[in-house]
Amino acid sequence: MRYFPDNIVAVATAPQNGAIGIVRISGVEAKNLLTHVFVSQSGLAVSLVPGRLHFGRLVGVDGVVLDHCLAVYMPGPHTFTGEDVVELHCHGNLLLLKKVVAAVLSLPSKAGIRGAEPGEFTKRAYLNGKVDLTQAEAVHELITASSDAALNSSLANLDGALKQLIDHMRDQLVTVLADVEASFEFSEEDIQTYNPAQTLVLVEACAQKLKTLEAAYRTSKLYDHGVSVVLVGRPNVGKSSLLNAILVEDRAIVTEVPGTTRDVVEGAKIIDGVRFIFRDTAGLRPAQDPIEKTGIDKTNEWIQKSDVVIVVLDHFNQEPDGEPDIMLPQKTTVIRVLNKADVLEYKQKKLEQLSDSEREELQRLGGYDLVVSAKSGYQIPHIETLLKKWLDHHCDKTNCLHINERQVRSISQALAKLDLCQPLLQEGGLREELLAACLRDVIGCLNDIVGIVTSEDVLANIFGRFCIGK
Ligand SMILES: Nc1nc2c(ncn2[C@@H]2O[C@H](COP(=O)(O)OP(=O)(O)OP(=O)(O)O)[C@@H](O)[C@H]2O)c(=O)[nH]1
Ligand SMILES: [Mg+2]
């Protein structure tokens, strides 16, 4: 345990009015500070039982009652920060909570009391060895998760799943490194202190695990930022109508006038536990009007930035103006949707009335993925089905760990170093110094992930993103 000389205080709940607001104090004098502001209903000092919620009144230094509240005192080291912690469960008025914090800050304190910095409670938990860096980051990721999938993977990290995996890998590599380094001692004699074939198997197994974590990063990114889906096409094909049909709400303006949508209109929907962000855009056509031109520029930007592009068409076989000329990035998935199935005809039938085989024939001939009607709702759920398939293909749901950008940088560096180890082990013979150096680098990268030695800059960057009070 590290000793922090001062005490910190902050509102721990969201900065808005609510039923309950919590003020948290952590530090060596937490209990003492509490006894100065908290009295029983009758005005007497409360004898605090650790871990028990006590009902009483909060009083400022001038003796004025600030609130009726519940207070709990939790002695360290079995607390979140590892220090003595006090929580005041007040009425959730932000103005009131600020007064409570001000009252605590004005108390006499030998060690000093100050407002906590963003993420400082979690930083103390990390520095006191209560959590490793992956668990500390998981706290922030859990708070900001916007889908079930993001919640579950952050929770797995909070439980220590990533830490355990990295620790296990590192322990194995440390043992091998010790054996390889021992060979330096016996360089003159012909003694092999490690088994190159077995070491190679271990190195390959570690590389495989790290590759799985790299894949988990791509999945985590989708969980964190959502999947971006952009609706594009010529004006009037029904992009805005489709957006509204997918979201089941009147989100974008729909009119029969071509060029209605100028700006990007977006809305989100959770599909299979993941957040999809749908964006309706200005129709693509040669435009003179500067406002429409700017809108079309934005359409093209979103085509470049999105994971999935839904190209909407409203005439089969031949578009009157030719199909829109869309510059698609290489890896982007394109879904071609033929809209207005309620009015378009094929084989003298409305598209909605086609048999399955006729519809498949039409889709194949026109290269459409789907025939829909935004107006009647025909086949709209199938857009979700296609997006679920996309998700199955791009998300590794078997891997439930959350990997962030900082972690994946170290994972990739470790992988690059492991790649160097492999030929050294295969070729054999007198390359132990090089092998040991590579293994040391890999271990260093793994240490970075869990935060065994981490610079103050990196910590400031991680915890600076937290909210105050966490
Ligand atoms: N019959 C029929 N009409 C539709 C359908 N979808 C859209 N429309 C009509 O087509 C016209 C244009 O619809 P929008 O959704 O505004 O088209 P848009 O592609 O967003 O058009 P811009 O914003 O101008 O680019 C409106 O009159 C809609 O009512 C459909 O499935 N069937
Ligand atoms: Mg529109």
Side-chain angles (χ1 to χ4, degrees), residues 131-142:
V131 292
D132 80 316
L133 208 48
T134 65
Q135 290 170 305
E137 287 172 312
V139 171
H140 176 63
E141 285 152 5
L142 189 69

Side-chain angles (χ1 to χ4, degrees), residues 66-186:
L66 295 172
D67 195 12
H68 294 188
C69 79
L70 289 168
V72 59
Y73 156 62
M74 294 167 276
H78 301 298
T79 57
F80 178 61
T81 57
E83 302 175 317
D84 283 1
V85 172
V86 156
E87 278 180 11
L88 296 163
H89 296 223
C90 312
H91 290 101
N93 178 299
L94 206 51
L95 191 65
L96 165 68
L97 294 169
K98 282 183 182 164
K99 281 188 175 199
V100 175
V101 170
V104 174
L105 285 172
S106 67
L107 291 173
S109 155
K110 275 193 218 128
I113 170 95
R114 61 177 173 81
E117 287 164 17
E120 197 172 0
F121 291 93
T122 314
K123 188 177 176 183
R124 285 194 174 190
Y126 161 68
L127 292 171
N128 279 333
K130 301 297 292 183
V131 292
D132 80 316
L133 208 48
T134 65
Q135 290 170 305
E137 287 172 312
V139 171
H140 176 63
E141 285 152 5
L142 189 69
I143 291 171
T144 52
S146 61
S147 64
D148 282 359
L151 276 176
N152 291 339
S153 58
S154 315
L155 204 57
N157 283 16
L158 190 63
D159 274 343
L162 177 59
K163 173 189 171 358
Q164 280 159 23
L165 197 140
I166 299 290
D167 282 353
H168 180 65
M169 221 184 301
R170 190 195 49 227
D171 291 349
Q172 286 181 314
L173 291 171
V174 166
T175 309
V176 168
L177 174 63
D179 293 344
V180 172
E181 283 178 340
S183 69
F184 303 166
E185 309 263 329
F186 302 103

Side-chain angles (χ1 to χ4, degrees), residues 178-340:
D179 293 344
V180 172
E181 283 178 340
S183 69
F184 303 166
E185 309 263 329
F186 302 103
S187 53
E188 299 300 304
E189 298 131 68
D190 200 12
I191 297 175
Q192 187 96 53
T193 57
Y194 69 102
N195 180 327
Q198 277 176 9
T199 308
L200 183 62
V201 171
L202 174 72
V203 163
E204 282 171 350
C206 287
Q208 199 45 49
K209 278 184 206 155
L210 291 174
K211 278 184 191 150
T212 317
L213 293 181
E214 269 191 333
Y217 166 67
R218 290 190 284 277
T219 302
S220 303
K221 232 169 56 171
L222 291 177
Y223 290 171
D224 290 346
H225 305 297
V227 181
S228 174
V229 182
V230 65
L231 293 150
V232 299
R234 292 236 175 265
N236 228 32
V237 292
K239 301 176 296 298
S240 304
S241 308
L242 265 180
L243 177 84
N244 293 345
I246 293 167
L247 298 177
V248 202
E249 70 171 271
D250 238 355
R251 194 78 188 75
I253 298 173
V254 170
T255 75
E256 63 287 351
V257 183
T260 298
T261 306
R262 302 290 181 93
D263 220 337
V264 179
V265 182
E266 64 176 62
K269 185 170 191 171
I270 303 283
I271 300 174
D272 252 8
V274 176
R275 203 160 154 265
F276 279 73
I277 304 123
F278 293 88
R279 291 189 176 87
D280 171 31
T281 56
L284 296 166
R285 65 175 172 186
Q288 302 305 325
D289 176 39
I291 304 172
E292 190 174 356
K293 267 184 164 175
T294 310
I296 291 172
D297 287 346
K298 283 194 175 183
T299 304
N300 285 318
E301 274 171 33
W302 278 108
I303 290 172
Q304 299 307 312
K305 285 194 279 189
S306 292
D307 301 298
V308 179
V309 177
I310 297 184
V311 178
V312 187
L313 305 150
D314 71 349
H315 287 81
F316 48 83
N317 296 335
Q318 198 63 58
E319 285 267 304
D321 306 324
E323 287 208 4
D325 200 11
I326 302 174
M327 289 280 291
L328 289 162
Q330 244 182 6
K331 284 188 181 163
T332 309
T333 302
V334 179
I335 299 178
R336 293 179 85 244
V337 172
L338 179 60
N339 188 31
K340 307 196 183 180

